[in-house]
Amino acid sequence: MKVQQYHAMVRAMMTRRAMLKGAAGMGAVAAMGGGLPGLTGQARAQDNVRAQILQIPGVGMGSPTDADWQRVGELCLGSTRARFSQGEFDGVELTFMGLNNQNLHNFLFRGFLRSWEEYTGATINWIDLAQADYNARLQQSIATGTVDFDVLEMGAPFEGDTAGRGLLDPMPQWVAADIDMDDYVDYLKAPVGTWDGQTYRVSIDGDCHTFAYRKDYYESEDLAAAWASEGDGSDWAPPTTWEQVNAHSRFLAGKSDPLTGLPAHGFLDPLRYSWGGFGFYFLADRAASYAKHPDDPAWLFDPEDMTPRVNNPAWVQAIQDVMDLMAVEGAYPADQLNADPNTTAFQQFLAGTGMGLTWWGDVGSSARTSDTSVVGDVVGFSINPGATRVYNSHTGAWEDTPNEAPNNAYIGWGVYVTNNVQGDERKRTAAWSVAAHLGGRDLSLWCSAYPSGFQPYRNSHFTYDEWEAAGYDRDFVEDYLSSNLDSYNHPNAAVEPRIPGIFQYYSIAEDELVRGLAGEYGSAQETADAIAAAWEGITDQIGRESQVALYRASLGM
């Protein structure tokens, strides 16, 4: 993490990364949990499991396979064997609904749970959903009140729609003990995963968007010389503000990529934003530093009456930034209007196209462990870019003050058990055992280090020595892990509300944004106004009074 990215925060407090570096000699983050010499036999055995699984298949050994997932799942079965007898769930049949994005998520779960099924005797049936289809399928169950699955992979933003409607089963206490919830980073602890005092979530992910960029672009003498001649007089260095991102993107149009020799491109916005609600996060990345004022927890709606803020000058500026780059020939790859976030991450950036992008941790965990990545040696990471000014919604004016607001987009995937299991205690226990296995402390470390769809979310995931022993070099580990931790712990992080209908808001915003980028509206302001009008309709449909109360509660007001 570059020092200049912290501005006032660096002056006010020591960054988490600096603390981690200081703790490295004592076992890095192990020191945070009291992990000092004199380990018990059980702790040594657990450390051995962690070391074993991090060598499967090994960094630089290609993409993990189903055989690798099965082996990791078997090695992490200790808690299940300790708590349950072999064959204890013979005859139990469970249905698991989750994602299949990039052939990860459910595909990994099948492998991880193969040994669980063999040991317990239970059988799991699978409902696999593409990312763009997930919200519609879940909303169908919510709207009808019918749940045809027992275990659910779901993000925290949907807790208002599900737990708030009584569709989930509360977590038994033994699960909390087995998965060591105290190990979660602070922003994933309660109230996340809870509703009306009950806990429903086993975290398997800790989402935030971070900025991944190509270091070789900024180490190129040719590009540095061209920038000195054509640029704005600033240093040729990785951008730390969205204003710099756009300036660099305009400059790179027509240049050559230092790695591939093909045309260079700047920031990779996914101009096909319609992605089942998940695409909205990529506009929010650009908007957050303009819109999330440090003195105001709200940035999506006015907490007094749910009036949308998505059409205020901050959000309009974010939309305008995208439109400005669309007007520059060569700023984006050809046909970028058809590029969704999967395209920008896996077919473009990791494959050697573009200067940078914001994405979840998949980019970091895939950069050096995926067969299709060519940027592993030249990729760097930081928190999302900031802005040179921030909009104050209370005064209705811009403030010329540098601002950062990392987007903790989606608050991470979790595993939930539905009310479908209630009335059958064996089935209920089996379902929670599945959740506990997938959310176990050791298994989660492997998922953080290899392509999985998940990123680091436990304090124990930030032990540099473990990653280095797995084959990562220290600089890469510090860069990647720090971008996550510094986003989670940022004092002005942009965290979304867990209110009913949140993905309805996001989905319709995507649709209106795409229409605006296609020229159906006359300006960025008209595009934002269309989104705001649609949001007002959703709020009225759900119930404004109840939405205000839940939104304020989610903000701690």
Side-chain angles (χ1 to χ4, degrees), residues 242 283-293 299 314-315 318 384-385 390 403-407 492 494:
W242 286 110
L283 176 65
D285 288 338
R286 280 186 171 271
S289 289
Y290 294 130
K292 175 64 178 65
H293 194 283
W299 60 296
W315 285 87
N384 279 0
V390 60
N403 190 53
E404 293 175 343
N407 182 14
N492 195 39

Side-chain angles (χ1 to χ4, degrees), residues 56-296:
I56 303 173
V59 175
M61 301 302 292
S63 299
T65 66
D66 183 61
D68 296 321
W69 303 331
Q70 291 186 43
R71 180 61 177 149
V72 170
E74 182 181 8
L75 285 168
C76 295
L77 202 62
S79 294
T80 300
R81 291 193 177 103
R83 184 168 293 279
F84 301 108
S85 301
Q86 187 167 2
E88 188 154 337
F89 302 134
D90 277 342
V92 172
E93 190 169 327
L94 299 170
T95 298
F96 190 119
M97 188 171 92
L99 216 61
N100 64 1
N101 192 41
Q102 292 296 312
N103 293 327
L104 299 173
H105 295 263
N106 271 13
F107 286 85
L108 273 72
F109 297 157
R110 283 176 168 85
F112 292 155
L113 288 164
R114 182 68 58 83
S115 57
W116 181 91
E117 289 181 278
E118 292 173 352
Y119 179 79
T120 66
T123 301
I124 302 174
N125 301 311
W126 298 90
I127 300 174
D128 301 321
L129 299 172
Q131 187 116 21
D133 299 331
Y134 179 89
N135 178 44
R137 177 64 168 81
L138 182 58
Q139 292 298 334
Q140 179 185 14
S141 293
I142 293 168
T144 61
T146 58
V147 175
D148 59 349
F149 40 87
D150 309 301
V151 187
L152 171 66
E153 180 193 23
M154 185 180 78
F158 290 107
E159 288 172 358
D161 286 315
T162 53
R165 296 172 187 253
L167 299 178
L168 301 180
D169 184 67
M171 177 191 292
Q173 185 56 43
W174 64 265
V175 176
D178 279 8
I179 63 176
D180 188 11
M181 295 177 72
D182 289 340
D183 189 35
Y184 291 173
V185 295
D186 286 344
Y187 112 96
L188 288 180
K189 294 178 181 177
V192 170
T194 70
W195 202 266
D196 287 340
Q198 296 275 12
T199 299
Y200 294 95
R201 169 187 171 99
V202 172
S203 288
I204 57 172
D205 184 25
D207 277 340
C208 63
H209 277 191
T210 60
F211 179 48
Y213 61 90
R214 289 272 299 282
K215 294 188 296 184
D216 56 330
Y217 269 65
Y218 294 97
E219 293 168 352
S220 166
E221 294 181 0
D222 290 342
L223 289 177
W227 176 255
S229 173
E230 305 170 28
D232 58 13
S234 62
D235 292 338
W236 180 240
T240 60
T241 67
W242 286 110
E243 293 91 342
Q244 290 176 343
V245 167
N246 267 31
H248 291 189
S249 297
R250 288 191 294 269
F251 160 74
L252 286 168
K255 305 295 191 298
S256 295
D257 187 292
L259 180 66
T260 66
L262 298 172
H265 300 287
F267 187 80
L268 299 169
D269 289 290
L271 300 184
R272 186 178 147 197
Y273 283 95
S274 293
W275 206 39
F278 293 92
F280 178 75
Y281 290 118
F282 295 85
L283 176 65
D285 288 338
R286 280 186 171 271
S289 289
Y290 294 130
K292 175 64 178 65
H293 194 283
D295 297 331
D296 188 352

Side-chain angles (χ1 to χ4, degrees), residues 113 151 175 179 202 204 415-417 430-440:
L113 288 164
V151 187
V175 176
I179 63 176
V202 172
I204 57 172
V415 178
Y416 301 76
V417 174
W432 278 111
S433 179
V434 165
H437 181 55
L438 294 178

